[in-house]
Amino acid sequence: MNAPAAPPGEPRGVADPDMLDSELPAGRRSRVLIVGGGAGGLALAIRLARQYRHRPLSPELILADATLTHVWKPTLHEIAAGTAALEGPGTDFLMLARRHGFAFHLGRLERLDRARRQAWFAPLEDATGAEIAPRRTIVYDLLVLALGSVVNDFGTPGVGQHAIALDGPADAQRLHQRLLAECVRAEVQGAGPVAIVVIGGGATGVELAAELDGALSSVARFGRHLRQLERPAHITLVESGPRLLAALPEAVAERARFELEQRGIAVCLQRRAVEIGPRHVMLDDGRILDSTLTVWAAGVLGPALTPALDGLATNAARQILVTAGLQSISDPRIYAMGDCAAPAAADKPWPPRAQLAQQQATYLALALDARLHGEVMPQPFVFRDRGSLVTLGGRRAVGLLLPRRPGLGLRLHGWSAMLAYATLHWRHLAVLHGIPAALATLLGRWLLKRSQPSVKLH
Ligand SMILES: Cc1cc2nc3c(=O)[nH]c(=O)nc-3n(C[C@H](O)[C@H](O)[C@H](O)COP(=O)(O)OP(=O)(O)OC[C@H]3O[C@@H](n4cnc5c(N)ncnc54)[C@H](O)[C@@H]3O)c2cc1C
């Protein structure tokens, strides 16, 4: 199968955001293609499938993802540390598709041909590089892009070669393997502590630094040498801004900093990493930090693919610009949600958070239904901030719930914060599996943890 001619690079003009499309097929099933089965895309596919389960002439729903398993991204730092559910971090898309009644397509979206309504997927290869399936296309009536995001290295030299970015489960597993290898090296060579530098003092960096610290203490207990050191890990968290957790109130950020420093994690504020080497990080004041393991957790960018999306308008952070109804401003057949989308008109950007993607999934399930019935969704999408919680490892967390005005809300820390944090994941599991199966999954994980070491040792 050959790809059609390359799409033009220039935007094709701005579509009327409220335009209803008279070309949606009459008498045949419309096809809704969702690309990206993360926090937003998977929740949308399940909600739409449930909505149409017993309705005649329901649309054909296809969810496409580059991988076979769905991983809840907010657990990536736990997968990296080895403290996540030990039976394996993913849920099979094929199982979810069969259970809920949508089709699943394994493939990495490569580009779009908007005039022909074609989404093109890259050839599929096995682990040896042999081709399993050629480049192929899916024709859509409506397309939802839920492609997530990647970190922004701001062009810093050495990031690609010497740092791990926590963009997906493969990165988290690679980080875990590196962590174990460094522990073994320290054990065998009688060296240590293991020097780790985490760059980026947002929620991801803070959670990762705390989780790695806890995991290293647990791993050290199984060794002979590391357990004798006062601290098996020396972790430094580097942040270019004046404080940690810029998106959260100052009091919450101070609490997080206090907890990290109490555990011996060095917090280095108002410093930028300017070069990453194989065993060091250089800061903008010339200081060199030893680092056997460097993690880049700063910045958010839309996927590198967005410029290949046939001229869909994007912002400087490569996010697809959408209307208040989550339609691309360049094409009313295309919707975008979650980390890969940004509001074209709002004065404030949306936060790159799972709760935003979940709220957009709920909204789009209704908006797409209205659209397929030739109606306009009357209300625009409005993000309701239910608060933010940050885990600090060892069943600790800090955060703010129900912030009605900036800085005002219910401040939590300790067990209550941890419980509130866990509900975001519980709610996601309930959407995936239904409430009884979600409870069974949680119970299963809890029982498994009782019979396994508290941290994954392979
Ligand atoms: C360590 C960490 C902790 C976090 N903690 C929290 C938290 O506590 N609370 C919170 O609200 N948010 C948290 N977040 C942010 C949250 O995970 C994201 O905002 C959320 O997952 C975004 O959802 P999404 O659907 O846009 O994308 P994702 O969940 O990232 O899903 C994107 C999907 O698209 C697929 N994909 C990507 N490119 C392609 C392609 N070309 N073709 C096909 N498929 C593709 C991917 O395989 C993936 O399945 C955290 C993030 C991290 C990294």
Side-chain angles (χ1 to χ4, degrees):
M1 207 182 298
N2 290 322
E10 291 303 306
R12 288 187 177 176
V14 173
D16 176 358
D18 293 326
M19 187 174 105
L20 269 184
D21 204 329
S22 55
E23 291 165 52
L24 278 181
R28 86 157 164 88
R29 291 174 81 196
S30 316
R31 181 181 285 165
V32 178
L33 172 63
I34 302 166
V35 186
L42 178 59
L44 175 62
I46 291 175
R47 282 185 190 281
L48 283 173
R50 282 199 188 132
Q51 217 162 271
Y52 291 118
R53 189 169 295 155
H54 302 297
R55 289 213 226 154
L57 212 69
S58 56
E60 183 187 356
L61 298 174
I62 304 177
L63 174 68
D65 199 282
T67 64
L68 276 169
T69 51
H70 162 76
V71 172
W72 175 241
K73 202 173 175 186
T75 56
L76 284 189
H77 61 295
E78 294 171 22
I79 298 169
T83 51
L86 303 177
E87 81 282 20
T91 309
D92 294 325
F93 280 120
L94 286 167
M95 185 268 286
L96 292 170
R98 191 182 156 88
R99 180 180 288 167
H100 293 284
F102 57 84
F104 174 70
H105 182 85
L106 174 63
R108 176 170 292 281
L109 181 72
E110 212 174 35
R111 61 190 189 80
L112 293 181
D113 181 338
R114 294 199 279 123
R116 296 188 179 90
R117 288 187 254 138
Q118 291 173 338
W120 281 88
F121 291 85
L124 271 183
E125 293 173 353
D126 68 14
T128 67
E131 191 173 276
I132 300 172
R135 180 168 283 113
R136 63 221 172 277
T137 184
I138 297 180
V139 176
Y140 57 84
D141 293 305
L142 296 177
L143 172 67
V144 183
L145 297 170
L147 301 165
S149 60
V150 294
V151 295
N152 188 352
D153 67 12
F154 304 102
T156 312
V159 176
Q161 302 89 315
H162 306 301
I164 298 182
L166 211 53
D167 285 334
D171 302 312
Q173 272 152 359
R174 200 155 56 94
L175 178 49
H176 181 65
Q177 292 308 316
R178 284 281 312 275
L179 185 71
L180 291 182
E182 290 308 328
C183 290
V184 173
R185 193 194 309 276
E187 274 297 325
V188 172
Q189 297 179 358
V194 177
I196 299 176
V197 176
V198 178
I199 294 151
T204 303
V206 167
E207 290 187 334
L208 186 67
E211 202 72 33
L212 289 178
D213 182 63
L216 260 154
S217 303
S218 301
V219 174
R221 272 185 233 129
F222 295 92
R224 293 169 72 103
H225 169 68
L226 278 177
R227 71 193 296 185
Q228 285 164 9
L229 300 181
E230 195 190 336
R231 299 204 54 76
H234 184 264
I235 300 181
T236 308
L237 181 59
V238 179
E239 163 59 39
S240 60
R243 66 175 176 92
L244 298 177
L245 301 171
L248 287 171
E250 196 152 353
V252 175
E254 275 310 308
R255 176 92 209 180
R257 182 178 173 178
F258 170 76
E259 297 234 3
L260 294 179
E261 287 183 335
Q262 243 201 352
R263 290 157 64 171
I265 296 173
V267 177
C268 190
L269 296 175
Q270 290 182 293
R271 288 276 73 94
R272 271 185 319 109
V274 292
E275 180 196 293
I276 313 293
R279 299 187 84 78
H280 75 267
V281 170
M282 189 197 279
L283 301 182
D284 56 354
D285 60 355
R287 214 168 358 138
I288 305 244
L289 306 176
D290 282 340
S291 179
T292 46
L293 196 50
T294 304
V295 190
W296 192 274
V300 173
L301 273 184
L305 164 80
T306 46
L309 295 180
D310 200 0
L312 283 190
T314 55
N315 63 12
R318 296 199 309 227
Q319 292 165 305
I320 299 159
L321 289 171
V322 293
T323 67
L326 306 186
Q327 271 172 305
S328 153
I329 61 166
S330 318
D331 189 333
R333 283 182 185 275
I334 300 181
Y335 295 74
M337 65 187 301
D339 287 4
C340 75
D347 45 358
K348 233 173 84 184
W350 288 320
R353 303 231 293 269
Q355 62 162 314
L356 171 83
Q358 287 178 328
Q359 290 179 27
Q360 290 181 332
T362 308
Y363 174 87
L364 273 182
L366 299 175
L368 293 180
D369 187 44
R371 173 80 190 271
L372 290 165
H373 286 88
E375 294 157 17
V376 185
M377 180 80 172
Q379 311 85 4
F381 170 75
V382 179
F383 171 58
R384 301 200 191 283
D385 191 353
R386 313 250 183 254
S388 302
L389 291 148
V390 177
T391 52
L392 296 172
R395 301 202 179 91
R396 272 176 296 178
V398 290
L400 183 81
L401 283 189
L402 306 171
R404 282 192 201 93
R405 285 206 304 278
L408 290 183
L410 187 60
R411 270 180 215 147
L412 298 178
H413 63 89
W415 270 96
S416 55
M418 197 61 211
L419 210 63
Y421 175 85
T423 53
L424 185 72
H425 194 188
W426 292 346
R427 282 181 41 212
H428 182 65
L429 285 175
V431 171
L432 257 56
H433 304 296
I435 291 171
L439 287 174
T441 306
L442 286 171
L443 180 66
R445 285 183 183 172
W446 183 79
L447 288 172
L448 202 62
K449 276 202 166 187
R450 308 268 86 58
S451 62
Q452 305 265 343
S454 58
V455 61
K456 194 170 154 198
L457 296 169
H458 61 277

